Amino acid sequence: WAAVFELAPPLSATGKRGRDKGGFFLPPVGGVAVGRYLSSAVQISEVEVDTRLGRVRMIQTLAGYAIGKVYSPILARSQAEGGLVQGIGYSLCEERRLDPRDGRMLTGNLEDYRLPGLADIGELDVHFIPGSFEDVVGEGIGLAEIVTLTPGATIANAIRHATGWRPKQIPLRPDRVLAGLAAVGEVK
């Protein structure tokens, strides 16, 4: 590759994005406006809670994302499903442990905690809601972190709906689930 790059002519590109029409809360200041179009998501998780062992099992996750025009449906779906898997992993089994004395991370790599497998995820159903971003240059915005943020809350809400106990800490390890269920009188 080094030889190829030596023979190739130099390449340079410069681009400029125009300002989106409108603004968010504030009028344009000095010709700059904060974009008013924000992505949004809805997610519903169906879970099964084993009240004897404290295990939470994902049955199904339905997710919808309003991001405007989707330029590459296959890549967008892959990003959304990967983000859901990551969020489910955060919620159910991945845990970062810190040393209480000095705040150093004790879990140094992926070998220190269990990652979710295919059986841990359940069925994923992803939908993209078109439109609503006509005033944004390109008529769409990215998925970014929105796909990894929703699983924790929806899983906790599903557990609350099923058991009456509202989890407030992740990951939802069996010992935490059993302690929470005991606190609300679900498990004796």
Side-chain angles (χ1 to χ4, degrees):
W1 283 107
V4 170
F5 286 129
E6 285 178 15
L7 297 173
L11 179 65
S12 124
T14 304
K16 184 176 180 183
R17 177 183 170 177
R19 185 172 68 82
D20 294 338
K21 297 175 191 170
F24 186 70
F25 295 128
L26 302 171
V29 177
V32 176
V34 177
R36 67 177 171 157
Y37 297 98
L38 305 172
S39 59
S40 58
V42 62
Q43 181 180 329
I44 301 169
S45 294
E46 181 181 357
V47 302
E48 181 179 89
V49 181
D50 184 331
T51 57
R52 286 191 220 171
L53 298 176
R55 293 186 183 153
V56 177
R57 185 171 78 88
M58 298 299 299
I59 305 295
Q60 182 179 21
T61 299
L62 297 125
Y65 302 103
I67 58 169
K69 186 174 183 177
V70 177
Y71 288 95
S72 178
I74 293 172
L75 291 176
R77 183 166 306 285
S78 294
Q79 182 178 353
E81 289 175 353
L84 288 171
V85 169
Q86 185 179 16
I88 291 168
Y90 288 157
S91 303
L92 297 181
C93 52
E94 298 177 31
E95 183 169 23
R96 182 181 70 160
R97 294 191 180 233
L98 301 175
D99 188 331
R101 293 171 296 169
D102 57 14
R104 282 187 297 152
M105 187 154 30
L106 299 174
T107 47
N109 58 42
L110 298 179
E111 295 174 354
D112 294 336
Y113 51 76
R114 190 175 79 76
L115 294 173
L118 190 58
D120 299 316
I121 302 304
E123 182 183 337
L124 299 178
D125 191 5
V126 174
H127 300 273
F128 296 102
I129 295 99
S132 298
F133 293 91
E134 291 77 17
D135 290 341
V136 174
V137 175
E139 298 183 9
I141 54 178
L143 281 166
E145 292 84 9
I146 196 167
V147 295
T148 60
L149 296 176
T150 53
T154 62
I155 292 169
N157 285 337
I159 291 170
R160 167 74 166 94
H161 182 74
T163 66
W165 168 64
R166 177 166 304 283
K168 294 183 180 174
Q169 184 179 11
I170 59 172
L172 295 164
R173 299 183 322 228
D175 61 321
R176 289 181 179 159
V177 172
L178 288 174
L181 294 175
V184 295
E186 183 70 28
V187 177
K188 307 282 190 258

